[in-house]
Amino acid sequence: MPAHLPQRALARLVPGALVACLLAACASAPTQPTRWSIAGGVRAATAAGKLPPSLQLRVTAASWINGTGFLYSLDYKAAQAIEVYAQNQWIDRPPVLIEDLMTRAYAQAPPLPQPARAAGEPRSLALSLRVVEFVQHYASATESEARVVAVATLSASNPPQVRSAMFRVQVPARTADAAGGAQAFSDASDQLIEQVFIWAAAP
């Protein structure tokens, strides 16, 4: 700024320069991504009412989906090519979100009466879920679906017993974007947990 400017002119210029600097800073600031969660539904809570008490729940995921990135695939362009939304992500890792839904649904279910057992070590039950796919798939530029695939394992002691099964759920998104995908993932997760709970409660 020239040194010979009068004080009055300098006073008029400084606020304007300050505003210009603030506007430039705001324009250059990175845009914060939108963070999504998955809401619980009535399906999982209803199915949880048939589960035995003291069931241990645990959810893990394959390494490539064990992050907060919101994954999608443009199947109509390049099938199996997984991309990440630039301005959308999950508030936590998908296995954490699903385990939270399972735990809350199980905690809200009324306790199921259990038959009397002979004296001895109590039976321990553990239900683990490994998520192997959590991706929004696009069949076209205007049509997509949330796809969730997981392997459930039910382990029991006294007597020891282990069984497992794979579950796959696909729910169409109402809109072909991350917002529609997030809603579809909420519905898909609720359906998946419902199916897993019904399977685990079966004899």
Side-chain angles (χ1 to χ4, degrees), residues 22-191:
L22 290 174
L23 290 175
C26 291
S28 61
T31 303
Q32 294 298 318
T34 302
R35 306 182 72 193
W36 301 95
S37 184
I38 53 177
V42 298
R43 292 173 177 267
T46 301
K50 299 181 180 180
L51 292 171
S54 303
L55 180 65
Q56 302 174 33
L57 300 173
R58 182 170 181 262
V59 181
T60 61
S63 58
W64 65 280
I65 56 175
N66 197 24
T68 58
F70 198 133
L71 306 180
Y72 70 93
S73 176
L74 302 179
D75 295 346
Y76 65 99
K77 285 188 176 181
Q80 307 304 320
I82 306 300
E83 306 289 343
V84 182
Y85 281 110
Q87 295 299 326
N88 295 272
Q89 60 182 219
W90 298 109
I91 63 171
D92 210 328
R93 296 175 293 116
V96 175
L97 298 177
I98 294 176
E99 182 174 297
D100 181 62
L101 291 183
M102 294 179 68
T103 302
R104 284 192 284 123
Y106 182 64
Q108 294 170 2
L112 185 68
Q114 295 296 300
R117 295 180 56 84
E121 182 182 355
R123 194 181 194 197
S124 175
L125 289 173
L127 176 60
S128 63
L129 194 68
R130 180 168 178 79
V131 184
V132 296
E133 183 169 4
F134 202 84
V135 180
Q136 184 176 4
H137 287 265
Y138 282 83
S140 69
T142 59
E143 184 181 5
S144 70
E145 67 178 17
R147 190 175 301 172
V148 183
V149 182
V151 177
T153 301
L154 184 65
S155 304
S157 63
N158 192 30
Q161 181 183 12
V162 177
R163 57 190 177 100
S164 62
M166 176 174 284
F167 299 86
R168 178 189 301 269
V169 178
Q170 300 170 193
V171 174
R174 297 177 182 177
T175 57
D177 53 15
Q183 179 58 55
F185 275 115
S186 292
D187 296 339
S189 298
D190 190 38
Q191 292 182 33

